[in-house]
Amino acid sequence: MKQTDLYKDVEWLSKHVVSSGAYLDWPATKTVKDVVLSSLHVHHSVALVTKDGRVLAKSNADEVVPREIPQPTNMTRDEIMSIATVYVVIGHYRNQLTHVFVRMALVAIAMGEHTTCHKDHLFAEYRWLVQLLFNEFIFHPTAAQEDFHAVLKKFHHSSTYIVTDSNVTRHSSGDKLITFLQQMYRPFLLGYWLVCHYLLAISQQSTGSEQYFKQKALINGTQDMMVEMISAGDIPYYDLLSTNLIDNALKSLVTMKAIQSCKRNGETLLTPVPMEIAKTADRIAALIQVHQDCTATSRVQSVVPAQLKAKM
């Protein structure tokens, strides 16, 4: 992105961070430009400014890799993983903000592209997203309804959404914030969707009535599938390769009874429940419009190695 656009976006974002009640450690005498340039200097190993004033992420091999235009077709697995490491580092800083915005974002994601939504339906979707992402972010186990109404109140006061006793209606003045929130959390949900489809694929390829898989094998297998999909240009998010994200998705599916967990010889083994996993995948797809990534759907089967069962 252009350096000047980055200054504007950082200033816009900082105002929303403060208005959300979070503490922002911002030097009182420093301008937005000063802070951004200082940060880019400190993190020169993962980001650079080009001569024409663009800010880009770069790989560990010093290859420029703009996030929005992946160049994976001629990359080896090691090169893709090297770039993924950069995005995981950058994502570490993003994740400091995800905890600030997560409740607002889940309401925005639950609302989707609907202009108006019944409040009860919106809450049901929000509560399900909280359950799905419970291992990814920090939620109070009994505060879903309280958090939901607090977010609606905040959105109403900022004219992002208009909230009545029974309905929530999108307002055009909140379009930029809504888009930002939805896009910020989209990689997490897309990652969970891909985990679901990997589990469905290996369930179809496996034979026998009982299918037991080691957790580490599932994590490695899902990551291998994602590398193949990034290499093919099916998905643009290198940070999906984070083993923490895949592990958290598996834990959530266990909690939601889409995966059965048991111990054998002191080792935890996992058994996918295809019907429940398919329901979860479909629900995620409806919320983040995964049909826009339809090429991923057709590739999932082809990238799962045929000899997978033997590796488990």
Side-chain angles (χ1 to χ4, degrees):
M1 69 185 304
K2 292 182 179 179
Q3 200 170 352
T4 52
D5 291 338
L6 180 59
Y7 300 152
K8 294 176 184 177
D9 286 347
V10 168
E11 184 175 19
W12 174 86
L13 181 58
S14 66
K15 291 178 180 178
H16 282 287
V17 170
V18 172
S19 67
S20 297
Y23 170 72
L24 184 62
D25 185 11
W26 191 285
T29 60
K30 299 291 185 180
T31 65
V32 172
K33 182 177 180 179
D34 291 336
V35 172
V36 170
L37 291 177
S38 176
S39 296
L40 289 174
H41 176 73
V42 170
H43 299 98
H44 61 86
S45 62
V46 296
L48 57 83
V49 180
T50 64
K51 292 180 179 180
D52 60 353
R54 292 179 299 147
V55 181
L56 304 172
K58 67 177 185 178
S59 74
N60 290 345
D62 292 330
E63 295 176 1
V64 177
V65 185
R67 182 186 181 92
E68 63 275 18
I69 311 176
Q71 303 169 2
T73 51
N74 296 318
M75 292 182 190
T76 65
R77 175 188 168 85
D78 287 344
E79 288 171 332
I80 289 176
M81 294 303 295
S82 176
I83 295 167
T85 301
V86 171
Y87 282 113
V88 169
V89 171
I90 296 172
H92 169 74
Y93 295 97
R94 174 203 62 198
N95 291 348
Q96 308 305 307
L97 288 179
T98 57
H99 295 285
V100 174
F101 292 118
V102 63
R103 290 159 185 80
M104 296 170 64
L106 295 193
V107 170
I109 291 168
M111 188 76 177
E113 299 304 312
H114 296 295
T115 303
T116 300
C117 187
H118 194 278
K119 193 183 292 184
D120 290 342
H121 173 75
L122 187 63
F123 175 66
E125 294 294 286
Y126 169 84
R127 184 170 53 185
W128 184 82
L129 283 168
V130 169
Q131 183 183 12
L132 179 70
L133 298 173
F134 199 82
N135 292 289
E136 201 75 52
F137 304 105
I138 300 171
F139 299 101
H140 192 286
T142 62
Q145 191 167 31
E146 180 181 347
D147 290 342
F148 174 75
H149 287 294
V151 168
L152 290 187
K153 184 177 181 180
K154 186 178 299 183
F155 275 148
H156 185 73
H157 285 168
S158 64
S159 296
T160 304
Y161 292 104
I162 305 303
V163 182
T164 64
D165 290 340
S166 58
N167 292 320
V168 178
T169 302
R170 182 168 179 160
H171 195 282
S172 59
S173 64
D175 284 351
K176 182 176 180 178
L177 177 60
I178 292 168
T179 300
F180 168 78
L181 293 171
Q182 292 173 340
Q183 291 301 314
M184 186 178 187
Y185 294 81
R186 177 180 174 80
F188 293 98
L189 291 170
L190 182 59
Y192 279 49
W193 179 81
L194 288 170
V195 169
C196 288
H197 276 275
Y198 177 78
L199 295 172
L200 290 173
I202 64 172
S203 296
Q204 292 173 7
Q205 289 199 5
S206 300
T207 59
S209 57
E210 294 183 339
Q211 304 163 30
Y212 298 102
F213 304 106
K214 296 177 183 178
Q215 183 169 342
K216 184 176 180 181
L218 291 179
I219 292 173
N220 292 341
T222 305
Q223 190 180 64
D224 287 343
M225 182 195 73
M226 290 179 176
V227 168
E228 292 289 338
M229 296 178 77
I230 289 173
S231 179
D234 291 336
I235 52 176
Y237 305 115
Y238 289 94
D239 41 350
L240 290 185
L241 298 174
S242 166
T243 55
N244 285 337
L245 184 148
I246 300 170
D247 182 46
N248 286 335
L250 293 173
K251 289 177 180 176
S252 288
L253 291 171
V254 170
T255 302
M256 300 170 77
K257 303 190 183 307
I259 294 178
Q260 295 176 352
S261 175
C262 69
K263 282 193 177 265
R264 283 190 176 181
N265 301 321
E267 186 170 33
T268 300
L269 299 176
L270 303 176
T271 302
V273 183
M275 184 176 295
E276 295 302 318
I277 291 173
K279 289 179 183 177
T280 301
D282 288 346
R283 196 160 180 179
I284 294 173
L287 287 169
I288 63 170
Q289 297 184 323
V290 179
H291 66 268
Q292 294 176 2
D293 305 286
C294 58
T295 52
T297 307
S298 61
R299 182 166 289 274
V300 169
Q301 290 284 351
S302 65
V303 298
V304 176
Q307 68 274 29
L308 177 68
K309 187 171 182 288
K311 294 182 178 180
M312 294 300 157

